[in-house]
Amino acid sequence: MTVIARDLGQPDAGRTLRAELESRGIYATGLVNNAGFGTHNALTDEDPDRLQSMIALNISALVDLSRAYIDPLTSADTSVLINVASLLGFQPTPYLSVYGATKAFVLSFTESLWEENRGTGLRVLAVCPGATKTEFYDAADSETADYGAKRVTPQHVVRTALDTLDRRSTPPSVITNGRPLALASKFLPRRLIVRFMGRMARR
Ligand SMILES: NC(=O)c1ccc[n+]([C@@H]2O[C@H](COP(=O)([O-])OP(=O)(O)OC[C@H]3O[C@@H](n4cnc5c(N)ncnc54)[C@H](OP(=O)(O)O)[C@@H]3O)[C@@H](O)[C@H]2O)c1
């Protein structure tokens, strides 16, 4: 295994990484955009630089990596592009407002790529985990950014993603846990959902 440590929040992260891998003779047939973080505060309490870093990592790096790899991935006989979104991408997330919006972007962007690449050998999937036991909550400086939900293991998230890719027809996205929230967001009035989310996340 080759490990290359990079700050993906830097501009052109995707193109730079692909060039470096290929200079070592490594050509990918799969890309998993997993790196990301969130912060848990009202916007007035957020550090503007941290917000910029979050957008750079959660959105810009993910787009740049996807763009850098889409041509080789579509040229391969069989390939995979997984973008890690979130259950929080389905509705507004007061007190995690920027994080939730970055994940709504990832979900929308990835579902668009799913359609653009249907009928090719590339399977595109947005993975939308609910609360998961990782260091995410330390990075967010929050024990409660999970909205009180029971956390599943990362293994469960990975297993669900891989099982979904194994289906005869890969859907645009998969929710690995916490599906009732996504369903509620689909059917309840937006105003009700945003107030519920705000009440759950207020510190
Ligand atoms: N945990 C949850 O409840 C949850 C729910 C839904 C979605 N997600 C999403 O799942 C993904 C993985 O997060 P996680 O839960 O596993 O949290 P985590 O344990 O904090 O892992 C975050 C990962 O992102 C990497 N990363 C952070 N900043 C980076 C940067 N500037 N450049 C390169 N890599 C960077 C970290 O690398 P280092 O370890 O080297 O810093 C680490 O591998 C994220 O996109 C997150 O938004 C998590």
Side-chain angles (χ1 to χ4, degrees), residues 6-10 33-38 57-58 84-88 99 103 127-137 139 146 151:
R6 279 285 171 280
D7 178 0
L8 294 175
Q10 296 301 309
N33 281 310
N34 174 63
F37 73 89
L57 181 65
N58 294 11
V84 179
S86 170
L87 185 61
L88 299 187
Y99 175 72
K103 293 302 179 178
V127 176
C128 303
T132 309
K133 292 175 198 158
T134 67
E135 289 169 19
F136 177 88
Y137 301 92
D146 57 11
R151 295 181 198 172

mmCIF file of all heavy atoms in Angstrom, residues 6-10 33-38 57-58 84-88 99 103 127-137 139 146 151, ligand 1:
data_model
loop_
_atom_site.group_PDB
_atom_site.id
_atom_site.type_symbol
_atom_site.label_atom_id
_atom_site.label_comp_id
_atom_site.label_asym_id
_atom_site.label_seq_id
_atom_site.Cartn_x
_atom_site.Cartn_y
_atom_site.Cartn_z
ATOM 1 N N ARG A 6 -1.581 14.400 2.269
ATOM 2 C CA ARG A 6 -1.765 15.693 1.604
ATOM 3 C C ARG A 6 -2.864 16.482 2.294
ATOM 4 O O ARG A 6 -3.870 15.904 2.721
ATOM 5 C CB ARG A 6 -2.213 15.498 0.148
ATOM 6 C CG ARG A 6 -1.101 15.188 -0.815
ATOM 7 C CD ARG A 6 -0.283 16.446 -1.123
ATOM 8 N NE ARG A 6 0.903 16.111 -1.889
ATOM 9 C CZ ARG A 6 2.021 15.624 -1.395
ATOM 10 N NH1 ARG A 6 2.144 15.428 -0.092
ATOM 11 N NH2 ARG A 6 3.049 15.341 -2.150
ATOM 12 N N ASP A 7 -2.703 17.793 2.365
ATOM 13 C CA ASP A 7 -3.789 18.653 2.801
ATOM 14 C C ASP A 7 -4.679 18.906 1.594
ATOM 15 O O ASP A 7 -4.333 19.680 0.702
ATOM 16 C CB ASP A 7 -3.241 19.967 3.354
ATOM 17 C CG ASP A 7 -4.361 20.911 3.781
ATOM 18 O OD1 ASP A 7 -5.543 20.538 3.639
ATOM 19 O OD2 ASP A 7 -4.048 22.015 4.256
ATOM 20 N N LEU A 8 -5.820 18.226 1.558
ATOM 21 C CA LEU A 8 -6.703 18.334 0.396
ATOM 22 C C LEU A 8 -7.441 19.679 0.370
ATOM 23 O O LEU A 8 -8.134 19.971 -0.601
ATOM 24 C CB LEU A 8 -7.706 17.178 0.382
ATOM 25 C CG LEU A 8 -7.084 15.791 0.160
ATOM 26 C CD1 LEU A 8 -8.146 14.704 0.294
ATOM 27 C CD2 LEU A 8 -6.434 15.705 -1.216
ATOM 28 N N GLY A 9 -7.276 20.456 1.419
ATOM 29 C CA GLY A 9 -7.895 21.778 1.439
ATOM 30 C C GLY A 9 -7.141 22.787 0.584
ATOM 31 O O GLY A 9 -7.605 23.911 0.387
ATOM 32 N N GLN A 10 -5.996 22.383 0.058
ATOM 33 C CA GLN A 10 -5.215 23.299 -0.790
ATOM 34 C C GLN A 10 -5.838 23.359 -2.194
ATOM 35 O O GLN A 10 -6.411 22.375 -2.655
ATOM 36 C CB GLN A 10 -3.763 22.806 -0.900
ATOM 37 C CG GLN A 10 -3.010 22.800 0.419
ATOM 38 C CD GLN A 10 -2.945 24.184 1.047
ATOM 39 O OE1 GLN A 10 -2.565 25.147 0.392
ATOM 40 N NE2 GLN A 10 -3.363 24.285 2.314
ATOM 41 N N ASN A 33 -14.118 9.774 -2.190
ATOM 42 C CA ASN A 33 -13.925 11.087 -1.567
ATOM 43 C C ASN A 33 -14.567 11.045 -0.190
ATOM 44 O O ASN A 33 -15.784 11.217 -0.053
ATOM 45 C CB ASN A 33 -14.563 12.178 -2.431
ATOM 46 C CG ASN A 33 -13.700 12.554 -3.611
ATOM 47 O OD1 ASN A 33 -12.504 12.820 -3.467
ATOM 48 N ND2 ASN A 33 -14.285 12.565 -4.796
ATOM 49 N N ASN A 34 -13.735 10.803 0.823
ATOM 50 C CA ASN A 34 -14.233 10.610 2.188
ATOM 51 C C ASN A 34 -13.863 11.772 3.113
ATOM 52 O O ASN A 34 -14.612 12.088 4.031
ATOM 53 C CB ASN A 34 -13.650 9.303 2.742
ATOM 54 C CG ASN A 34 -13.998 9.091 4.203
ATOM 55 O OD1 ASN A 34 -15.168 8.963 4.547
ATOM 56 N ND2 ASN A 34 -12.994 9.066 5.058
ATOM 57 N N ALA A 35 -12.701 12.409 2.864
ATOM 58 C CA ALA A 35 -12.215 13.441 3.794
ATOM 59 C C ALA A 35 -13.250 14.552 3.934
ATOM 60 O O ALA A 35 -13.839 15.001 2.948
ATOM 61 C CB ALA A 35 -10.895 14.018 3.283
ATOM 62 N N GLY A 36 -13.473 14.957 5.172
ATOM 63 C CA GLY A 36 -14.417 16.044 5.407
ATOM 64 C C GLY A 36 -14.514 16.313 6.889
ATOM 65 O O GLY A 36 -14.144 15.477 7.703
ATOM 66 N N PHE A 37 -14.982 17.506 7.244
ATOM 67 C CA PHE A 37 -15.232 17.788 8.669
ATOM 68 C C PHE A 37 -16.359 18.800 8.796
ATOM 69 O O PHE A 37 -16.777 19.422 7.805
ATOM 70 C CB PHE A 37 -13.959 18.268 9.382
ATOM 71 C CG PHE A 37 -13.530 19.675 9.028
ATOM 72 C CD1 PHE A 37 -14.011 20.771 9.739
ATOM 73 C CD2 PHE A 37 -12.643 19.903 7.987
ATOM 74 C CE1 PHE A 37 -13.606 22.060 9.417
ATOM 75 C CE2 PHE A 37 -12.219 21.189 7.662
ATOM 76 C CZ PHE A 37 -12.716 22.274 8.376
ATOM 77 N N GLY A 38 -16.865 18.930 10.017
ATOM 78 C CA GLY A 38 -17.931 19.891 10.281
ATOM 79 C C GLY A 38 -17.653 20.664 11.550
ATOM 80 O O GLY A 38 -16.786 20.278 12.346
ATOM 81 N N LEU A 57 -12.376 21.846 1.665
ATOM 82 C CA LEU A 57 -12.214 20.384 1.745
ATOM 83 C C LEU A 57 -13.484 19.652 1.293
ATOM 84 O O LEU A 57 -13.429 18.788 0.409
ATOM 85 C CB LEU A 57 -11.863 19.976 3.182
ATOM 86 C CG LEU A 57 -11.646 18.476 3.397
ATOM 87 C CD1 LEU A 57 -10.433 17.979 2.621
ATOM 88 C CD2 LEU A 57 -11.480 18.158 4.886
ATOM 89 N N ASN A 58 -14.615 20.013 1.908
ATOM 90 C CA ASN A 58 -15.848 19.243 1.672
ATOM 91 C C ASN A 58 -16.380 19.430 0.254
ATOM 92 O O ASN A 58 -17.010 18.514 -0.289
ATOM 93 C CB ASN A 58 -16.941 19.665 2.664
ATOM 94 C CG ASN A 58 -16.613 19.322 4.100
ATOM 95 O OD1 ASN A 58 -15.492 18.952 4.418
ATOM 96 N ND2 ASN A 58 -17.568 19.464 4.993
ATOM 97 N N VAL A 84 -18.663 10.721 -0.170
ATOM 98 C CA VAL A 84 -19.324 10.614 1.141
ATOM 99 C C VAL A 84 -20.052 11.924 1.432
ATOM 100 O O VAL A 84 -19.414 12.967 1.653
ATOM 101 C CB VAL A 84 -18.315 10.260 2.253
ATOM 102 C CG1 VAL A 84 -19.036 10.171 3.597
ATOM 103 C CG2 VAL A 84 -17.624 8.930 1.935
ATOM 104 N N ALA A 85 -21.378 11.856 1.391
ATOM 105 C CA ALA A 85 -22.231 13.002 1.738
ATOM 106 C C ALA A 85 -22.635 12.828 3.198
ATOM 107 O O ALA A 85 -21.785 12.533 4.042
ATOM 108 C CB ALA A 85 -23.431 13.061 0.791
ATOM 109 N N SER A 86 -23.907 12.945 3.502
ATOM 110 C CA SER A 86 -24.366 12.777 4.882
ATOM 111 C C SER A 86 -25.881 12.763 4.906
ATOM 112 O O SER A 86 -26.538 13.346 4.025
ATOM 113 C CB SER A 86 -23.867 13.946 5.749
ATOM 114 O OG SER A 86 -24.484 13.908 7.023
ATOM 115 N N LEU A 87 -26.428 12.149 5.941
ATOM 116 C CA LEU A 87 -27.870 12.255 6.205
ATOM 117 C C LEU A 87 -28.257 13.730 6.352
ATOM 118 O O LEU A 87 -29.372 14.122 6.021
ATOM 119 C CB LEU A 87 -28.170 11.494 7.509
ATOM 120 C CG LEU A 87 -29.609 11.353 7.959
ATOM 121 C CD1 LEU A 87 -30.442 10.601 6.930
ATOM 122 C CD2 LEU A 87 -29.656 10.638 9.309
ATOM 123 N N LEU A 88 -27.308 14.550 6.823
ATOM 124 C CA LEU A 88 -27.594 15.972 7.030
ATOM 125 C C LEU A 88 -27.648 16.748 5.721
ATOM 126 O O LEU A 88 -27.923 17.941 5.722
ATOM 127 C CB LEU A 88 -26.560 16.592 7.983
ATOM 128 C CG LEU A 88 -26.524 15.992 9.383
ATOM 129 C CD1 LEU A 88 -25.581 16.786 10.285
ATOM 130 C CD2 LEU A 88 -27.926 15.958 10.004
ATOM 131 N N TYR A 99 -21.820 23.120 7.336
ATOM 132 C CA TYR A 99 -21.543 21.691 7.124
ATOM 133 C C TYR A 99 -22.691 21.028 6.358
ATOM 134 O O TYR A 99 -22.476 20.344 5.351
ATOM 135 C CB TYR A 99 -21.329 20.986 8.468
ATOM 136 C CG TYR A 99 -21.161 19.492 8.304
ATOM 137 C CD1 TYR A 99 -19.999 18.964 7.748
ATOM 138 C CD2 TYR A 99 -22.177 18.598 8.665
ATOM 139 C CE1 TYR A 99 -19.854 17.591 7.564
ATOM 140 C CE2 TYR A 99 -22.034 17.233 8.495
ATOM 141 C CZ TYR A 99 -20.865 16.735 7.947
ATOM 142 O OH TYR A 99 -20.725 15.383 7.756
ATOM 143 N N LYS A 103 -22.797 19.223 2.525
ATOM 144 C CA LYS A 103 -23.210 17.843 2.245
ATOM 145 C C LYS A 103 -24.400 17.803 1.291
ATOM 146 O O LYS A 103 -24.542 16.848 0.511
ATOM 147 C CB LYS A 103 -23.507 17.118 3.560
ATOM 148 C CG LYS A 103 -22.253 16.912 4.411
ATOM 149 C CD LYS A 103 -21.188 16.116 3.656
ATOM 150 C CE LYS A 103 -19.915 15.904 4.426
ATOM 151 N NZ LYS A 103 -18.921 15.096 3.699
ATOM 152 N N VAL A 127 -22.757 8.250 -0.704
ATOM 153 C CA VAL A 127 -23.015 7.518 0.545
ATOM 154 C C VAL A 127 -23.420 8.544 1.606
ATOM 155 O O VAL A 127 -22.698 9.521 1.833
ATOM 156 C CB VAL A 127 -21.764 6.736 0.992
ATOM 157 C CG1 VAL A 127 -22.002 6.067 2.337
ATOM 158 C CG2 VAL A 127 -21.410 5.696 -0.060
ATOM 159 N N CYS A 128 -24.575 8.301 2.219
ATOM 160 C CA CYS A 128 -25.115 9.267 3.182
ATOM 161 C C CYS A 128 -25.222 8.624 4.560
ATOM 162 O O CYS A 128 -26.269 8.048 4.901
ATOM 163 C CB CYS A 128 -26.492 9.735 2.720
ATOM 164 S SG CYS A 128 -26.481 10.446 1.072
ATOM 165 N N PRO A 129 -24.154 8.700 5.345
ATOM 166 C CA PRO A 129 -24.214 8.113 6.684
ATOM 167 C C PRO A 129 -24.997 9.015 7.634
ATOM 168 O O PRO A 129 -24.947 10.242 7.531
ATOM 169 C CB PRO A 129 -22.741 8.044 7.125
ATOM 170 C CG PRO A 129 -21.926 8.421 5.932
ATOM 171 C CD PRO A 129 -22.825 9.230 5.048
ATOM 172 N N GLY A 130 -25.708 8.381 8.578
ATOM 173 C CA GLY A 130 -26.181 9.113 9.744
ATOM 174 C C GLY A 130 -25.058 9.103 10.769
ATOM 175 O O GLY A 130 -23.887 8.880 10.423
ATOM 176 N N ALA A 131 -25.419 9.304 12.037
ATOM 177 C CA ALA A 131 -24.404 9.384 13.094
ATOM 178 C C ALA A 131 -23.548 8.113 13.126
ATOM 179 O O ALA A 131 -24.071 7.005 13.167
ATOM 180 C CB ALA A 131 -25.095 9.586 14.434
ATOM 181 N N THR A 132 -22.235 8.311 13.091
ATOM 182 C CA THR A 132 -21.288 7.194 13.023
ATOM 183 C C THR A 132 -20.169 7.417 14.042
ATOM 184 O O THR A 132 -19.724 8.549 14.237
ATOM 185 C CB THR A 132 -20.673 7.110 11.598
ATOM 186 O OG1 THR A 132 -21.747 7.109 10.653
ATOM 187 C CG2 THR A 132 -19.850 5.845 11.413
ATOM 188 N N LYS A 133 -19.733 6.307 14.662
ATOM 189 C CA LYS A 133 -18.698 6.404 15.713
ATOM 190 C C LYS A 133 -17.333 6.647 15.086
ATOM 191 O O LYS A 133 -16.645 5.681 14.714
ATOM 192 C CB LYS A 133 -18.645 5.098 16.505
ATOM 193 C CG LYS A 133 -19.853 4.827 17.347
ATOM 194 C CD LYS A 133 -19.712 3.445 17.989
ATOM 195 C CE LYS A 133 -21.035 2.925 18.485
ATOM 196 N NZ LYS A 133 -21.086 1.478 18.627
ATOM 197 N N THR A 134 -16.955 7.904 14.931
ATOM 198 C CA THR A 134 -15.623 8.249 14.400
ATOM 199 C C THR A 134 -15.114 9.457 15.190
ATOM 200 O O THR A 134 -15.759 9.891 16.152
ATOM 201 C CB THR A 134 -15.690 8.648 12.909
ATOM 202 O OG1 THR A 134 -16.411 9.884 12.823
ATOM 203 C CG2 THR A 134 -16.382 7.595 12.061
ATOM 204 N N GLU A 135 -14.005 10.018 14.710
ATOM 205 C CA GLU A 135 -13.462 11.202 15.388
ATOM 206 C C GLU A 135 -14.118 12.494 14.905
ATOM 207 O O GLU A 135 -13.704 13.590 15.270
ATOM 208 C CB GLU A 135 -11.945 11.246 15.185
ATOM 209 C CG GLU A 135 -11.264 10.156 15.982
ATOM 210 C CD GLU A 135 -9.802 9.977 15.618
ATOM 211 O OE1 GLU A 135 -9.219 10.897 15.035
ATOM 212 O OE2 GLU A 135 -9.276 8.893 15.907
ATOM 213 N N PHE A 136 -15.148 12.349 14.070
ATOM 214 C CA PHE A 136 -15.857 13.509 13.534
ATOM 215 C C PHE A 136 -16.270 14.476 14.651
ATOM 216 O O PHE A 136 -16.138 15.690 14.529
ATOM 217 C CB PHE A 136 -17.095 13.022 12.768
ATOM 218 C CG PHE A 136 -17.947 14.124 12.216
ATOM 219 C CD1 PHE A 136 -17.691 14.659 10.967
ATOM 220 C CD2 PHE A 136 -19.023 14.632 12.948
ATOM 221 C CE1 PHE A 136 -18.479 15.685 10.447
ATOM 222 C CE2 PHE A 136 -19.816 15.649 12.439
ATOM 223 C CZ PHE A 136 -19.543 16.172 11.193
ATOM 224 N N TYR A 137 -16.773 13.919 15.760
ATOM 225 C CA TYR A 137 -17.337 14.758 16.825
ATOM 226 C C TYR A 137 -16.246 15.480 17.614
ATOM 227 O O TYR A 137 -16.483 16.550 18.151
ATOM 228 C CB TYR A 137 -18.261 13.912 17.718
ATOM 229 C CG TYR A 137 -19.374 13.323 16.883
ATOM 230 C CD1 TYR A 137 -19.243 12.052 16.308
ATOM 231 C CD2 TYR A 137 -20.508 14.064 16.585
ATOM 232 C CE1 TYR A 137 -20.227 11.544 15.478
ATOM 233 C CE2 TYR A 137 -21.495 13.567 15.755
ATOM 234 C CZ TYR A 137 -21.348 12.305 15.202
ATOM 235 O OH TYR A 137 -22.311 11.815 14.360
ATOM 236 N N ALA A 139 -13.434 16.515 16.043
ATOM 237 C CA ALA A 139 -13.048 17.581 15.120
ATOM 238 C C ALA A 139 -14.080 18.708 15.152
ATOM 239 O O ALA A 139 -13.730 19.889 15.030
ATOM 240 C CB ALA A 139 -12.900 17.017 13.708
ATOM 241 N N ASP A 146 -24.657 14.872 16.641
ATOM 242 C CA ASP A 146 -25.362 13.712 16.068
ATOM 243 C C ASP A 146 -26.874 13.825 16.235
ATOM 244 O O ASP A 146 -27.601 12.885 15.949
ATOM 245 C CB ASP A 146 -24.851 12.415 16.708
ATOM 246 C CG ASP A 146 -24.995 12.428 18.230
ATOM 247 O OD1 ASP A 146 -25.668 13.346 18.761
ATOM 248 O OD2 ASP A 146 -24.446 11.532 18.877
ATOM 249 N N ARG A 151 -25.268 6.101 17.282
ATOM 250 C CA ARG A 151 -24.186 6.034 16.289
ATOM 251 C C ARG A 151 -23.908 4.596 15.864
ATOM 252 O O ARG A 151 -23.810 3.710 16.717
ATOM 253 C CB ARG A 151 -22.903 6.653 16.856
ATOM 254 C CG ARG A 151 -23.057 8.137 17.123
ATOM 255 C CD ARG A 151 -21.771 8.744 17.658
ATOM 256 N NE ARG A 151 -22.062 10.028 18.285
ATOM 257 C CZ ARG A 151 -21.196 10.746 18.978
ATOM 258 N NH1 ARG A 151 -19.952 10.309 19.115
ATOM 259 N NH2 ARG A 151 -21.544 11.899 19.507
HETATM 260 N N1 LIG B 1 -19.116 10.525 11.718
HETATM 261 C C1 LIG B 1 -20.354 10.848 11.326
HETATM 262 O O1 LIG B 1 -21.328 10.809 12.102
HETATM 263 C C2 LIG B 1 -20.588 11.234 9.872
HETATM 264 C C3 LIG B 1 -21.914 11.276 9.412
HETATM 265 C C4 LIG B 1 -22.132 11.606 8.090
HETATM 266 C C5 LIG B 1 -21.085 11.872 7.239
HETATM 267 N N2 LIG B 1 -19.800 11.838 7.708
HETATM 268 C C6 LIG B 1 -18.733 12.136 6.762
HETATM 269 O O2 LIG B 1 -17.864 11.027 6.714
HETATM 270 C C7 LIG B 1 -16.586 11.458 6.221
HETATM 271 C C8 LIG B 1 -15.496 10.871 7.082
HETATM 272 O O3 LIG B 1 -15.571 11.485 8.373
HETATM 273 P P1 LIG B 1 -15.398 10.646 9.714
HETATM 274 O O4 LIG B 1 -16.727 10.527 10.343
HETATM 275 O O5 LIG B 1 -14.621 9.407 9.478
HETATM 276 O O6 LIG B 1 -14.589 11.700 10.600
HETATM 277 P P2 LIG B 1 -13.047 11.651 11.067
HETATM 278 O O7 LIG B 1 -12.818 10.441 11.887
HETATM 279 O O8 LIG B 1 -12.810 12.998 11.697
HETATM 280 O O9 LIG B 1 -12.243 11.509 9.701
HETATM 281 C C9 LIG B 1 -12.086 12.610 8.819
HETATM 282 C C10 LIG B 1 -11.101 12.226 7.754
HETATM 283 O O10 LIG B 1 -10.889 13.383 6.891
HETATM 284 C C11 LIG B 1 -9.471 13.580 6.773
HETATM 285 N N3 LIG B 1 -9.182 15.006 6.600
HETATM 286 C C12 LIG B 1 -9.622 16.039 7.362
HETATM 287 N N4 LIG B 1 -9.114 17.204 6.898
HETATM 288 C C13 LIG B 1 -8.309 16.885 5.829
HETATM 289 C C14 LIG B 1 -7.531 17.656 4.921
HETATM 290 N N5 LIG B 1 -7.446 18.998 4.998
HETATM 291 N N6 LIG B 1 -6.834 16.979 3.943
HETATM 292 C C15 LIG B 1 -6.910 15.628 3.847
HETATM 293 N N7 LIG B 1 -7.659 14.863 4.676
HETATM 294 C C16 LIG B 1 -8.351 15.473 5.650
HETATM 295 C C17 LIG B 1 -8.893 13.072 8.075
HETATM 296 O O11 LIG B 1 -7.547 12.770 7.877
HETATM 297 P P3 LIG B 1 -6.525 12.836 9.146
HETATM 298 O O12 LIG B 1 -6.976 11.777 10.078
HETATM 299 O O13 LIG B 1 -5.198 12.591 8.508
HETATM 300 O O14 LIG B 1 -6.697 14.191 9.711
HETATM 301 C C18 LIG B 1 -9.747 11.820 8.312
HETATM 302 O O15 LIG B 1 -9.253 10.737 7.548
HETATM 303 C C19 LIG B 1 -16.631 12.989 6.215
HETATM 304 O O16 LIG B 1 -16.852 13.447 4.893
HETATM 305 C C20 LIG B 1 -17.831 13.305 7.096
HETATM 306 O O17 LIG B 1 -18.419 14.553 6.767
HETATM 307 C C21 LIG B 1 -19.535 11.508 8.999
#
